[in-house]
Amino acid sequence: MRSWNRPAVLVAAAALTVSGLTAGTATGSDADVPAGDQAPAPAAHSAPSAPGAGFGLAANGRSAQAINTKSKAAVRRAYRQRYAPTMEVPTGWTGSYAGCKAGNVTKRSRAATRQAINLVRAMAGLDPVGFRQNLNVQSQRAALMMGANQSLSHYPPRSWKCWSKAGAQAAQTGNLALRWPELRSGRVVEQYVDDEGSNNRAVGHRRWILNPATRWMGTGSTDIANAMVVVTPPAAGRATPRWIPWPTAGWFPNQMEPKGRWSFSSSDPRHDFSHALVAVRVVNGRKLKVTRHRPEVGAGPNTLVWQVKPRASRAHRVTITGIRDASTGKRFKRSYVVRLFNAR
């Protein structure tokens, strides 16, 4: 087990290699439902067991609740009203590491976390998610373990402080995070979506949060740790844009720019990025240096990731060539413009 020297931020993404997804089974009637959404009847679906499972081969468009990223005003309004206010909401954790009391977070905290997730999804054209109470309970147990041990593991050993079966199950199917000196409700979503660090070049946290087929999640936090169950059975009929870039095409807040770690996902598992190349150019300006990361399958949609140093409040044209359709062998390219701006 690696010993961490109390960094400011740590994250670990759930991998799509779990054979049994007990923690990710969304059942029961006690659910936290997004505003304007109705909870469907509990479903018994098999969770994805291979890369691409759970993703429709045919795109069915953007969500009716998607943010219009062609409108600078709409993006600014969404950022100011729905994202920025969540960033500093405290968890209000009621538990303690002494005695291994899992406790809970406040309703305000959980609502802020859900709101931040759904703002990110709305920017990408995806439907919102809700929280299942049973997944929240399991996530809370996992967060307790991570906080008590000040370390992250998807397979925590029984020797860990505050180990529990429910927490271990949630750890296998969840995004995990530590943040010092104190974790905040919306900030942890930003932490997952930014996916900083050399161990997060596959942006697994981001890919799970931007999984089109996801309907239910769960979240739990302590003062410094978060666990978010993200691997749950895929739901039918979800909005599925063919392409999911991050930052998104159109207007995008400087404040949400993921520190140069950009990505481009496909909701079609036949799309192969193994030999794809990416170029980024400032519109009416120069071409920027890009470091392409090796594509990895197994955590959400197939995705190409690269590192770039974008220019704040400038437009950037992204061009990706060499995308391969595995069913036909044909290669093609995509191009789009990201317009960064100050949304404050």
Side-chain angles (χ1 to χ4, degrees):
M1 180 66 64
R2 181 176 176 181
S3 177
W4 300 102
N5 188 26
R6 293 186 67 84
V9 173
L10 281 176
V11 284
L16 191 56
T17 55
V18 183
S19 57
L21 298 182
T22 305
T25 304
T27 59
S29 58
D30 189 0
D32 187 0
V33 185
D37 221 357
Q38 294 298 315
H45 295 286
S46 297
S49 58
F55 306 106
L57 293 179
N60 65 0
R62 289 168 61 84
S63 170
Q65 300 183 49
I67 294 166
N68 178 14
T69 57
K70 295 180 180 179
S71 167
K72 185 178 182 179
V75 173
R76 176 183 280 118
R77 181 168 57 252
Y79 171 80
R80 289 180 175 179
Q81 296 179 3
R82 297 165 56 186
Y83 196 69
T86 73
M87 290 294 104
E88 302 306 326
V89 175
T91 65
W93 182 46
T94 62
S96 71
Y97 301 119
C100 296
K101 298 177 182 178
N104 209 340
V105 298
T106 65
K107 290 183 178 180
R108 179 178 176 232
S109 170
R110 184 161 285 127
T113 302
R114 187 188 71 234
Q115 184 168 303
I117 292 170
N118 285 333
L119 182 281
V120 168
R121 289 178 63 89
M123 284 287 293
L126 307 179
D127 285 332
V129 297
F131 290 154
R132 283 285 194 191
Q133 179 61 18
N134 65 318
L135 301 183
N136 291 338
V137 170
Q138 293 163 2
S139 297
Q140 193 64 42
R141 286 286 180 183
L144 174 68
M145 275 195 293
M146 305 305 144
N149 293 277
Q150 297 190 19
S151 189
L152 302 178
S153 174
H154 290 297
Y155 301 95
R158 287 178 177 265
S159 59
W160 265 26
K161 299 174 186 176
C162 303
W163 188 94
S164 66
K165 182 177 179 180
Q169 289 175 334
Q172 290 183 39
T173 53
N175 286 343
L176 306 173
L178 289 173
R179 189 180 187 96
W180 288 282
E182 185 178 8
L183 185 141
R184 297 287 175 161
S185 306
R187 190 72 66 185
V188 74
V189 177
E190 177 185 65
Q191 186 173 334
Y192 287 139
V193 175
D194 283 355
D195 254 340
E196 289 185 85
S198 59
N199 59 325
N200 289 315
R201 288 172 178 163
V203 297
H205 309 89
R206 181 187 303 172
R207 289 159 69 180
W208 282 122
I209 286 175
L210 294 179
N211 179 1
T214 301
R215 177 66 186 85
W216 300 107
M217 293 184 183
T219 189
S221 295
T222 66
D223 56 339
I224 61 170
N226 174 265
M228 185 178 293
V229 171
V230 290
V231 186
T232 58
R238 305 290 280 163
T240 311
R242 186 172 297 279
W243 307 110
I244 307 170
W246 194 264
T248 57
W251 293 99
F252 195 89
N254 289 331
Q255 292 77 13
M256 295 178 68
E257 193 283 313
K259 301 175 178 63
R261 182 152 289 174
W262 292 24
S263 62
F264 186 78
S265 301
S266 172
S267 57
D268 189 332
R270 296 174 300 188
H271 291 158
D272 176 12
F273 294 105
S274 300
H275 301 287
L277 299 176
V278 59
V280 181
R281 181 183 293 276
V282 178
V283 174
N284 298 323
R286 68 184 185 87
K287 187 176 181 180
L288 301 180
K289 179 182 177 180
V290 168
T291 300
R292 172 190 179 275
H293 298 310
R294 181 175 61 86
E296 295 182 21
V297 297
N302 291 343
T303 300
L304 179 66
V305 185
W306 63 95
Q307 200 72 30
V308 66
K309 291 184 178 179
R311 304 296 184 259
S313 300
R314 296 289 299 275
H316 300 72
R317 177 167 291 280
V318 178
T319 303
I320 300 171
T321 57
I323 303 171
R324 178 177 175 271
D325 186 325
S327 64
T328 64
K330 293 182 178 180
R331 297 178 186 270
F332 56 97
K333 72 175 184 178
R334 301 295 300 175
S335 182
Y336 58 96
V337 175
V338 177
R339 301 183 184 279
L340 296 177
F341 76 106
N342 185 354
R344 286 181 178 155

